[in-house]
Amino acid sequence: MPELQLLRLDHATALLAFEQENRAYFAASVPDRGDDYFAHFEARHRGLLAEQAEGRCLFHVLVGDAGEIVGRVNLVDVADGCAELGYRIAEKAARRGLATAAVRQICGLGATEYGLSSLRAAVTLDNAASRAVLIRTGFRAVGETVLDGRPAISYVRETRSIADRVDSHEGGDVMR
């Protein structure tokens, strides 16, 4: 099972490979990052690490046994006990429950390590797989929105109940 790791500088090469290998796959369900993202990847990576050091975001990667990155799980716009969740899983690793396990783990970390009381997420209507992950992990739909011009649904997940379960040793899936 892949290990969820906080993003580090030495993840850059594997992360760039992950994004390049899965660009077309991701673009089918989420907005494409654009050519500029890839052309300036190193500077962007350092910028993400600076945001993380400031506590504004918490970026994570799912690292496979061979050191390859098979997914990303991020908490962005961290403020006032809340953060926005985003995630993506490599095409070759999809449909194996990795997204569900990783989102469960990040919800637990949000409550126990990061002091978050709730997480938000938004998913386009045509991304049924991501909507299913959110529902399976306890998120509830709270309204309609638009993501990059596409209709979407907003979700929220309270993390207090997760912290209670972890404290009483009843935690769910943990990826190590």
Side-chain angles (χ1 to χ4, degrees):
M1 191 66 133
E3 179 183 1
L4 188 66
Q5 299 177 4
L6 195 60
L7 186 66
R8 303 183 312 256
L9 186 59
D10 65 324
H11 287 130
T13 300
L15 184 56
L16 178 57
F18 164 81
E19 291 289 352
Q20 289 172 325
E21 290 166 11
N22 292 284
R23 185 175 182 181
Y25 174 67
F26 293 147
S29 59
V30 296
D32 184 61
R33 294 192 185 279
D35 293 337
D36 195 55
Y37 174 86
F38 296 97
H40 304 286
F41 182 83
E42 186 174 323
R44 176 149 172 75
H45 187 70
R46 289 182 188 279
L48 294 177
L49 292 172
E51 286 182 53
Q52 184 166 274
E54 294 167 3
R56 294 186 291 147
C57 299
L58 296 157
F59 303 104
H60 301 80
V61 290
L62 284 170
V63 180
D65 294 336
E68 78 284 8
I69 291 178
V70 297
R72 298 182 78 161
V73 185
N74 300 320
L75 298 173
V76 300
D77 299 331
V78 176
D80 301 322
C82 192
E84 182 85 16
L85 169 70
Y87 52 92
R88 52 181 57 198
I89 302 295
E91 183 174 20
K92 69 181 181 184
R95 294 170 294 284
R96 289 197 242 157
L98 291 181
T100 299
V103 168
R104 280 190 181 127
Q105 186 174 1
I106 207 72
C107 288
L109 287 171
T112 62
E113 300 294 321
Y114 304 141
L116 301 174
S117 57
S118 66
L119 299 177
R120 299 177 314 273
V123 178
T124 58
L125 293 178
D126 60 352
N127 191 343
S130 283
R131 287 188 290 120
V133 166
L134 292 176
I135 291 166
R136 278 194 300 271
T137 56
F139 281 79
R140 62 183 169 80
V142 294
E144 296 177 0
T145 190
V146 176
L147 291 176
D148 293 312
R150 296 161 62 182
I153 300 174
S154 294
Y155 294 84
V156 69
R157 169 69 159 97
E158 302 301 320
T159 59
R160 285 187 190 101
S161 62
I162 294 169
D164 295 341
R165 279 200 325 263
V166 170
D167 289 343
S168 67
H169 306 291
E170 295 176 18
D173 296 10
V174 175
M175 297 174 61
R176 295 274 180 221

